[in-house]
Amino acid sequence: MEIGAILFSLAMVVLVVAYVLRPLAGSAPGGDSRPERRLSALQAERDRVLDSIQDIDMDQAMGKVPEEDHRRRRQALALEGAEILRKIDKAQLRDEVTEPQPLGKSHATREVELEAAIRKLRGKGFEVASEVGLDLSDPASGVCPECGEAIFHGDRFCANCGATLEEQVA
């Protein structure tokens, strides 16, 4: 046997052994952290329970499972699913709490400020329209009568709020 073939075979054996032993070496190559793995496992368990509920419902509809067994098994699966959902909520809450908050503001504070800014910007459409003398009920004004956002000729719906503009254009 040639020396090149021996070296190639040896290299292949080393690669296969390294590939097989990689899970025992530590974390996954993607760098998944332990909480993410736990959350992923809980979500997979939730999906399994939902599939089981769907299967038992289908079996009962087809007459394979008596009503009493169906009710008992479905209730047990529903309780198991509810417990899993509680665990998922706790895991997500724990991740939010440990997540660093930029500029010392809490998530709730940032959300309230963002909502206030959105309300303020939405209200400006009406203020600007009234300042320049536009009638918001007139479809030719170029402003949505519902939210005050600019609309274009030929629009059938407002891109901002989804209000129907078709009857106004016709």
Side-chain angles (χ1 to χ4, degrees), residues 138-144 149-159 165-166 168-170:
D138 179 19
S141 68
V143 179
C144 174
E149 191 69 27
I151 57 173
F152 299 100
H153 179 70
D155 283 352
R156 295 174 58 189
F157 300 97
C158 176
L165 304 171
E166 188 171 20
Q168 297 168 355
V169 174

Side-chain angles (χ1 to χ4, degrees), residues 52-75 77:
S52 296
I53 290 173
Q54 189 175 25
D55 289 344
I56 191 71
D57 287 345
M58 181 70 76
D59 288 346
Q60 197 275 330
M62 294 175 63
K64 292 181 178 181
V65 178
E67 181 66 33
E68 182 62 31
D69 288 345
H70 170 260
R71 192 173 342 107
R72 186 175 36 80
R73 289 172 60 189
R74 192 174 202 291
Q75 185 177 15
L77 287 169

Side-chain angles (χ1 to χ4, degrees), residues 128-141:
V128 170
S130 61
E131 285 176 13
V132 294
L134 289 177
D135 179 16
L136 293 180
S137 62
D138 179 19
S141 68

Side-chain angles (χ1 to χ4, degrees), residues 34-36 38-40 42-43 46 81-99:
R34 200 168 217 62
E36 289 172 350
R38 172 107 172 108
L39 183 60
S40 178
L42 287 170
Q43 290 169 340
R46 176 200 60 201
E83 183 60 32
I84 291 170
L85 289 176
R86 276 190 218 98
K87 289 178 182 178
I88 288 173
D89 287 343
K90 283 181 184 177
Q92 288 175 339
L93 182 62
R94 202 173 313 121
D95 289 346
E96 273 186 20
V97 170
T98 58
E99 190 176 282

Side-chain angles (χ1 to χ4, degrees), residues 24-37:
L24 301 175
S27 67
D32 289 339
S33 65
R34 200 168 217 62
E36 289 172 350
R37 281 192 209 165

Side-chain angles (χ1 to χ4, degrees), residues 109-130:
T109 304
R110 289 193 318 263
E111 194 166 316
V112 168
E113 289 174 355
L114 180 61
E115 288 296 328
I118 289 171
R119 276 195 302 278
K120 183 178 175 186
L121 287 174
R122 284 186 178 159
K124 281 189 177 182
F126 291 110
E127 293 168 9
V128 170
S130 61

